[in-house]
């Protein structure tokens, strides 16, 4: 399963890239606004250099076909690893088709139903982003949507669209998505750090460190 980080904070991205476990980055207009970046284009360029082997999602700002297409083409020129993010609307999917046909990666965002995910696959999306946390927030079952999309896409080997689980709020979302066979999860930095944590790991490590000290030895001195 691939891990993307869902942030536009360049320092967070650098820190998480250094773990060697990061496969890509997703941004959205809200995350860019929160980052305080003065130039969106420069920010995406910087992120693409930090994660050169992974897709970096950069979202269009317009909502009409012609302007979204121009914005998408402009974003795609920033770096080879840009995935243009478009909303799941009729115009967004037209842009998806046009950019995909031209060889650009496209991430279709704001997906809240299996029917929408079928449309995105037909439009040639590289990624479909179903938002699990926001569905949970309104009392629906976000993970059921992932289960449905994974099951549907598996029926059609010609579909190459990857299921990118978005709006991830906690480690259980990630584990459930992995059990279902979702291709990618985009995860906020805080949740990525939570993935490492277990109180028994901390307790066990403290005991090992204390017991090792009692031996009075150093592994490196013996080398
Ligand atoms: O980037 C898209 C998605 O992951 C946003 O998540 O937490 O704003 O619902 P959230």
């Amino acid at each position: 399963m691939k891990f993307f980080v869902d942030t536009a904070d360049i320092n967070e991205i650098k820190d998480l890239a250094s773990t060697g476990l990061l496969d890509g980055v997703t941004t959205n207009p809200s995350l860019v606004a929160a980052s305080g970046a003065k130039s969106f284009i420069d920010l995406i360029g910087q992120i693409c250099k930090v994660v050169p082997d992974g897709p970096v999602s950069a979202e269009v700002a317009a909502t009409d076909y012609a302007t979204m297409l121009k914005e998408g083409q402009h974003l795609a020129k920033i770096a080879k690893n840009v995935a243009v993010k478009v909303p799941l609307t009729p115009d967004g999917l037209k842009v998806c088709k046009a950019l995909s046909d031209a060889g650009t990666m496209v991430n279709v965002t704001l997906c809240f139903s299996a029917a929408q995910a079928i449309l995105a696959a037909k439009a040639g999306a590289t990624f479909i982003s179903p938002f699990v946390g926001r569905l949970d927030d309104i009392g629906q079952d976000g993970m059921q949507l992932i289960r449905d999309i994974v099951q549907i896409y598996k029926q059609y080997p010609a579909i190459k669209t990857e299921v990118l689980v978005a709006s991830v709020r906690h480690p259980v979302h990630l584990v459930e998505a992995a059990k279902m066979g979702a291709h990618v999860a985009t995860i906020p930095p805080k949740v990525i750090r939570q993935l490492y944590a277990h109180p028994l790991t901390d307790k066990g490590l403290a005991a090992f460190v204390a017991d090792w000290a009692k031996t009075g030895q150093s592994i490196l001195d013996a080398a």
Side-chain angles (χ1 to χ4, degrees), residues 27-107:
T27 67
N28 64 36
S30 306
L31 293 170
V32 172
S35 78
K38 296 283 175 277
S39 165
F40 174 48
I41 302 297
D42 288 352
L43 174 68
I44 295 299
Q46 282 180 54
I47 297 173
C48 286
K49 283 189 187 137
V50 175
V51 189
D53 298 325
V56 173
S57 289
E59 189 158 342
V60 296
T63 56
D64 67 285
Y65 171 73
T67 318
M68 271 194 282
L69 182 60
K70 274 190 209 150
E71 288 179 349
Q73 288 165 337
H74 188 58
L75 292 170
K77 282 188 203 139
I78 297 173
K80 277 192 298 195
N81 56 327
V82 165
V84 175
K85 209 168 173 187
V86 299
L88 209 153
T89 61
D91 277 11
L93 291 188
K94 272 174 71 179
V95 173
C96 174
K97 180 84 173 70
L99 292 175
S100 298
D101 285 351
T104 296
M105 288 188 286
V106 181
N107 177 357

Side-chain angles (χ1 to χ4, degrees), residues 6-7 26-28 30-31 59 85 109-110 129-131 133-134 137 165-169 186-188:
D6 198 25
T7 185
T26 53
T27 67
N28 64 36
S30 306
L31 293 170
E59 189 158 342
K85 209 168 173 187
T109 190
L110 292 168
S129 289
F131 280 29
R134 292 193 196 183
D137 289 345
V165 181
S167 190
V168 166
R169 298 279 164 77
T186 188
I187 318 165

Side-chain angles (χ1 to χ4, degrees), residues 159-183:
I159 292 180
K160 300 296 175 221
T161 305
E162 297 194 5
V163 179
L164 196 175
V165 181
S167 190
V168 166
R169 298 279 164 77
H170 47 69
V172 176
H173 275 152
L174 179 81
V175 172
E176 289 300 309
K179 282 159 71 176
M180 291 168 195
H183 306 84

